[in-house]
Amino acid sequence: MLSVLECMNCHRQYPANQVIYTCETCGGLLDLKHDMDWLRRTVTRELFDSRLGTLDFPYNSGVWRYKEMIYPDVDPAQIVSRPEGNTNLYPAPRLAQWAGVDKLYLKHEGENPTGSFKDRGMTGGLTQARVLGMKRVACASTGNTSASLAAYAAWSGIQGIVLFQNKQIALGKLAQAVAYGATCIRIAADFDRNLQLVRDISEKLDIYVLNSVNPFRLEGQKSIMIETIQQLRWRVPDWIVVPGGNLGNSSAFGKGLREMYEIGLIDRLPSLAVIQAEGANPLYRAYQTGFEKFEAVEADTVATAIKIGNPVNYPKAVRAIQWTEGVVEQVTDQQIMDAKALIDAQGIGCEPASACSLAGVKKLVESGVIKPHETVVGILTGHVLKDPDATIAYHEGLLDNIESAYPNRVFAAAPTVESLSEILSDSTLTLV
Ligand code: F0G
């Protein structure tokens, strides 16, 4: 076997085909650990480049193009793929200017089949559910994980179960989970409590957990880094900037980048900047103590996707920040929504949590952490249609405690040429 599950703390190993999420000895999180010597011998830039544009399953997926690095042992017949990935990397010169850097790219993970990066994790998770012969899969979710789980479970003929908090679920996400036919349960509890509940019931009822505590999810999400750097013709950017909630992406990015470096796909590591909402900032607070102290918080933010106070992947995220000499920053809801309005107005669009990336870049440039000449890649995690309520409320000036700096109000006209003329001779649109 080319991969085993290994505890990140005590390094105890388990076979990859065991249903297990944390170490039986010390409770540590598990990694899917690959045979690095084999990877060094097998993987080249040319191998991955030769699969670009292929129509052949599974290499037509932006996750499984890198199969050797994701899950080398798996039989392709078991792979559950839509296919996902192959998302655009947009140069964003006007936003770069606004944020104060010369070169900014936005990697749009909202372009995945269900509109968020979660699909890259779910293809790994549902594939493993199939390998293990599981009949049911479940997650707690702020919305996107549930939409993705629901779709991938339906696609593979496995029952999907999703637990939501009973308020503040973005409409687009709830609609997806319902439409794709998952068993949807609303609970009077926040995300953190729901995640604990999923872990408890899954053990009892033989259900496979597909939150990002599942190492196979993180293997899939790793591909965001491989694909981004391949799109940059294997040139490594200086910074990768990503929103942080349950810290699955941050963890996956750290592992992926380190593995790419170890096997010689890249010759240096970019630094990871994890951006949290000020109202959901446990990683940021811990970072302020040099990661000496971690305390969960009660989370509250307009970016409901990252309304998480006790991130399960905290230790892996710390490791990723240390490996890449990265940083953690926080941004306000005001900064998030203004950055979102600017990303949207480029014609790119994203959901609120995703805009942490751009808001974070600007703040890190202002504080001198990111230098103007450095190349930055911001990750947009979710599609603009995920949370239409937040978008409309911002532009109508209806969000609590947020001043809309870049409003695009909807006009009302009488059905006459005069009325339309009056509006159109008045309106000017000057954004960035
Ligand atoms: N952005 C979006 C759009 C998300 O949906 C999430 C997480 C994140 C960022 C944070 O990513 O957890 O890897 O740090 N959403 C999860 C969910 C928690 O349930 O959909 P992370």
Side-chain angles (χ1 to χ4, degrees), residues 166-222:
N166 63 345
K167 50 184 183 202
Q168 284 194 306
I169 290 290
L171 195 62
K173 305 175 189 180
L174 178 61
Q176 284 180 291
V178 172
Y180 296 138
T183 303
C184 300
I185 308 172
R186 300 189 89 160
I187 300 179
D190 62 10
F191 171 84
D192 301 297
R193 173 69 190 137
N194 283 343
L195 180 52
Q196 191 53 51
L197 283 169
V198 163
R199 293 175 73 174
D200 292 347
I201 56 145
S202 296
E203 205 169 314
K204 223 170 136 192
L205 300 178
D206 201 22
I207 298 169
Y208 193 49
V209 178
L210 284 182
N211 280 99
S212 53
V213 67
N214 185 312
F216 293 89
R217 276 251 336 249
L218 298 192
E219 287 309 294
Q221 287 171 219
K222 233 169 59 174

Side-chain angles (χ1 to χ4, degrees), residues 8 44 51 64 67 96 113 130 152 159 161 220 233 247 253 288 303 334 343 345 387 391:
M8 68 175 284
T44 58
R51 295 173 182 163
W64 299 103
K67 179 174 181 288
R130 222 187 224 175
Y152 278 74
Q159 187 195 353
I161 302 163
R233 307 287 193 276
L247 305 177
F253 290 8
Q288 298 304 307
Q334 177 75 52
I343 295 165
D387 193 351
T391 303

Side-chain angles (χ1 to χ4, degrees), residues 117-118 141-145 244-249 305-306 308 351 353 381:
F117 70 90
K118 305 288 181 180
S141 180
T142 58
N144 280 324
T145 306
N246 216 15
L247 305 177
N249 264 343
I306 49 173
I308 294 173
E351 68 165 281
T381 45

Side-chain angles (χ1 to χ4, degrees), residues 322-376:
Q322 289 168 342
W323 279 343
T324 65
E325 293 174 21
V327 299
V328 186
E329 186 52 277
Q330 63 174 358
V331 290
T332 62
D333 282 0
Q334 177 75 52
Q335 289 165 331
I336 290 172
M337 291 308 292
D338 286 338
K340 169 176 152 56
L342 293 174
I343 295 165
D344 293 353
Q346 298 295 303
I348 296 176
C350 66
E351 68 165 281
S354 309
C356 282
S357 298
L358 179 63
V361 175
K362 185 173 171 63
K363 199 166 170 191
L364 289 168
V365 171
E366 282 166 0
S367 63
V369 174
I370 295 181
K371 307 284 182 289
H373 67 271
E374 291 182 313
T375 301
V376 181

Side-chain angles (χ1 to χ4, degrees), residues 71-90:
Y71 193 0
D73 291 310
V74 77
D75 175 355
Q78 304 270 37
I79 291 177
V80 179
S81 173
R82 288 288 301 273
E84 46 294 306
N86 293 311
T87 58
N88 282 299
L89 181 70
Y90 295 104

